[in-house]
Amino acid sequence: MLPSFENSSDLLDNALKVDLYTQLIKQLNKDFSLANLSLNISEQITPFTLKKELQEAIENIILNDANSFSSLLYIIDVSEKDLINSDIEKVTFLILKRTWKKVWFRNNYSS
């Protein structure tokens, strides 16, 4: 059963615990690349630093390129209506949560 999380830290800790952290990073890099955004997160990055760098990247995109941010949300499959009244931390969590679902489902249901 797909686990649920309260925040980004819980999600990233679980990804490490179940050995899907590297796949999560690869998926984030892929999704950002598909949106023509550069995000080259190292697979050796700590969860704390990943969260911090992701928040900074998202904030930068929101402030400087709203169209690319919309494209990123579409590629990752995060509804813009879920972002209403959300701060950067919540936006980061929603992006991580949806990316986690992709990775988790692929790991648990691919043959």
Side-chain angles (χ1 to χ4, degrees):
M1 178 167 202
L2 181 66
S4 63
F5 306 102
E6 296 294 318
N7 57 49
S8 298
S9 297
D10 288 347
L11 185 150
L12 293 170
D13 288 344
N14 184 265
L16 271 171
K17 196 181 324 178
V18 297
D19 205 26
L20 293 176
Y21 183 72
T22 300
Q23 290 175 305
L24 180 70
I25 292 171
K26 287 179 183 178
Q27 186 66 49
L28 282 168
N29 284 328
K30 177 182 175 184
D31 289 344
F32 271 73
S33 177
L34 289 170
N36 293 317
L37 297 165
S38 88
L39 180 75
N40 297 313
I41 297 176
S42 165
E43 294 174 15
Q44 283 72 43
I45 196 170
T46 65
F48 175 80
T49 306
L50 168 62
K51 180 181 164 189
K52 182 180 171 211
E53 285 188 17
L54 190 56
Q55 283 178 336
E56 289 172 3
I58 291 166
E59 185 171 25
N60 186 39
I61 295 163
I62 290 169
L63 294 174
N64 297 307
D65 193 351
N67 289 335
S68 291
F69 182 64
S70 292
S71 294
L72 178 65
L73 293 177
Y74 178 78
I75 288 164
I76 294 175
D77 193 24
V78 173
S79 172
E80 289 187 42
K81 71 178 181 180
D82 292 341
L83 303 179
I84 296 171
N85 298 323
S86 294
D87 60 12
I88 289 296
E89 192 163 327
K90 177 146 188 205
V91 172
T92 302
F93 176 57
L94 292 171
I95 287 172
L96 280 170
K97 190 163 87 168
R98 182 61 186 117
T99 304
W100 166 253
K101 285 181 182 180
K102 290 181 191 179
V103 169
W104 189 88
F105 276 105
R106 186 177 321 118
N107 184 68
N108 285 283
Y109 293 106
S110 66
S111 43

